[in-house]
Amino acid sequence: MEKISLKNNPKPLLEEKILDWSSVQTSFEKSFGTEIFSSWLKNLRLVKEYNDYVILGVETRFFRDWITSRYADKILGELKKHKLSLNRIEFKIEPENKSAKNLFADSKENKITDIKDSILNYNRLNPNLTFENFIIGKSNNIGFLSAKKICTQLSRYNPLFIYGGVGLGKTHLLNAVGLELSAENKVMFISAERFMYQFIKSIKKNEMVNFKDFFRKANVFIIDDIQFIRGKEGLQEEFFHTFNTLFDQSSQIVISSDRAPNKLDRVQERIKSRLSGGLVVDIGAPDYELKLKILRKKISDYQNSFKESPDLQEEVIEYIANNSNSNIRELIGIFNRVVAFGKMSKKPLNINDCKIILKDVYNSNRVISIDKIQTVTSNFFSISLADMLSPRRSRPLARPRQIAMYLAKKFTSRSLPEIGRKFANRDHTTVIHAVKTIDKLLNNNDEIKKNVEELKSLILSD
Ligand code: ADP
Ligand code: MG
């Protein structure tokens, strides 16, 4: 008998490269988003690959610490999708190739252009986020007026500090200030995270002088999401000096934050006092009136750009304003979804449809089971579950059965064969037939339509 010796095999998989790094990078970008990817992960290199771990190259210690503390788990998760056997990552600090660096590090002007280009790529002002497009209500009126004010009286209120929760319009206002002033001023608009990235990059490339020059040339300096500097000493140090220089030369500084200056824990006291030394205003959650106004504006924007009405009944608009959370970004998201649904189903939406869409938005993790759909449907038609699942074909049983299959297809992510199995082992073609039949009936049978609507809201309401 032939003897197979595993021992003598030279560890076949060790160091065998399976990972296709460029597709790994593509998946990083997808799952982390472009901002994080390009700031932190783009330059990760695959140094060595083993069966159960990889060594990734990073440019500096700082990058390594940053990536390990924030992204390592997720990076491993992503890598596992490409190679299941991995269970560990190691980082190796590999300073960038010197000769490559020299290529574009010759003159000071070049370096500034380098900083400038990379900032411009990420910090273009969004032409749509203007003052005109900013709808005013009780919660944001003061923020709006203050932002307007500084545009007419530069550095009268310095800095302007706008704070409030997510999705309430801070970035929009900052952007509007930038747009308003950019014609006649040197405006710098940057997120604190990007500022930090630029800062690190400049240290690494020995270009701090240029970094300082570049930022301090602005006479309007707008920095978004300053809470990002919490706990980052080096960054705070640099920010403090940038701030002081700008302030001393009377540049207008505009800052946004998710909380008030005095609530910025792990930020140096001297910075906090600088931040609160000008005008501090907060943006609050929108009330019903403001949400309504924003929805109406969205409707008219829609009409203007598509030359047709989004077909939303008054009661639907009111329903959305009443039942959405206090987050304007989310409100707009819901609006877009409702309009898209309306277009797809080719009929004006009613409140029930809206309920479903909102539920879907807020409970996207919620799983609706086929069991639940079956129970609710059989109860609704006052038949027993056993009868509904039975082979009998009489209409009072067959119709509810078809409706339940239809709802299972619409509300769950189960495949047709899976749904079939749940209906007493029916074939998937039976499910297809049911879905088609009900789809058709919804168009020409008001009774069925009404039943399905009611069932939908029963299934979603609990
Ligand atoms: P934040 O920076 O506070 O998280 P954003 O400024 O990004 O919020 O606003 C989220 C979305 O809501 C953006 O699309 C913005 O244009 C919109 N938005 C916020 N407030 C208003 C408003 N008052 N009027 C019109 N759109 C608004
Ligand atoms: Mg923002």
Side-chain angles (χ1 to χ4, degrees), residues 165-172 174 189 224-225 227 256 329:
V166 291
L168 299 184
K170 301 182 298 294
T171 302
H172 189 139
L174 260 53
F189 175 60
D224 202 4
D225 291 321
Q227 73 275 2
S256 84
R329 182 178 299 128

Side-chain angles (χ1 to χ4, degrees), residues 375-399:
T375 319
V376 173
T377 310
S378 57
N379 283 341
F380 181 82
F381 290 106
S382 310
I383 56 178
S384 76
L385 183 58
D387 278 346
M388 192 175 84
L389 299 182
S390 74
R392 287 158 59 196
R393 288 161 183 257
S394 68
R395 174 146 312 166
L397 298 183
R399 209 46 107 215

Side-chain angles (χ1 to χ4, degrees), residues 17 19 21 24-25 28 32 40-41 43-50 53-60 63-64 67-68 71-79 86 88-95:
K17 298 238 176 186
L19 288 171
W21 195 242
V24 168
Q25 293 245 307
F28 281 171
F32 286 92
W40 304 108
L41 308 179
N43 292 334
L44 275 182
R45 283 183 302 278
L46 180 59
V47 178
K48 249 189 173 147
E49 176 180 345
Y50 296 92
Y53 76 103
V54 284
I55 301 178
L56 304 181
V58 289
E59 283 155 0
T60 62
F63 263 74
R64 183 199 59 192
I67 294 171
T68 335
Y71 308 127
D73 287 346
K74 202 166 160 195
I75 290 177
L76 182 61
E78 281 302 311
L79 287 171
L86 293 177
R88 183 159 59 93
I89 313 171
E90 280 181 14
F91 291 97
K92 184 171 179 223
I93 297 160
E94 287 196 313

Side-chain angles (χ1 to χ4, degrees), residues 308-334:
E308 64 173 4
S309 146
D311 244 354
L312 291 190
Q313 294 156 11
E314 189 56 29
E315 54 167 17
V316 167
I317 301 167
E318 285 165 13
Y319 183 85
I320 300 177
N322 246 323
N323 292 278
S324 53
N325 283 348
S326 321
N327 175 329
I328 296 176
R329 182 178 299 128
E330 215 168 80
L331 178 73
I332 296 172
I334 290 171

